Amino acid sequence: MINHTMFVQFTEPIPDADLDQYLADVEKATKNTGSLLTFAAQRHIRVPGEEQIPAFIATVVIQLGVTDLETLGALFVSPEVEAVFDTWRTRYPYKAAWANHETLA
């Protein structure tokens, strides 16, 4: 299994309800591809003073599990998945970083 762990940093404040909807939309679109084995998402837990650190600090982390790299590639060219990312990036600009990896111990 390949895990795609994505760190999403919204560049402007996003209301909690909108962030919940973003995560629900990503989950629905990725599950609708039929190729997803696992889905998990969590909000970043802030630490006092971290805004002073010059680092990429995610708003949320999303992890998608698929069987192999070919399946992962197909998932991200799904029209529904692309539409979700494009729609939300228009509403609330964000940056993303990710890593593809085997399951962490």
Side-chain angles (χ1 to χ4, degrees), residues 22 25-26 29 79-89 94:
Y22 167 77
D25 289 353
V26 170
E80 187 176 356
V81 171
E82 286 182 338
V84 166
F85 289 139
D86 290 345
T87 297
W88 280 98
R89 189 171 278 119
Y94 65 85

Side-chain angles (χ1 to χ4, degrees), residues 14-32:
I14 179 171
D16 286 342
D18 288 349
L19 186 55
D20 290 342
Q21 188 61 56
Y22 167 77
L23 293 173
D25 289 353
V26 170
E27 181 174 13
K28 180 181 176 191
T30 55
K31 284 184 174 179
N32 283 349

Side-chain angles (χ1 to χ4, degrees), residues 50-67:
E50 72 180 16
E51 63 279 353
Q52 303 302 319
I53 300 168
F56 183 98
I57 300 173
T59 308
V60 294
V61 61
I62 299 169
Q63 189 170 77
L64 311 173
V66 296
T67 54

Side-chain angles (χ1 to χ4, degrees), residues 1-20:
M1 182 166 96
I2 301 295
N3 288 292
H4 175 82
T5 301
M6 184 168 57
F7 302 91
V8 179
Q9 178 193 61
F10 286 90
T11 56
E12 301 171 9
I14 179 171
D16 286 342
D18 288 349
L19 186 55
D20 290 342

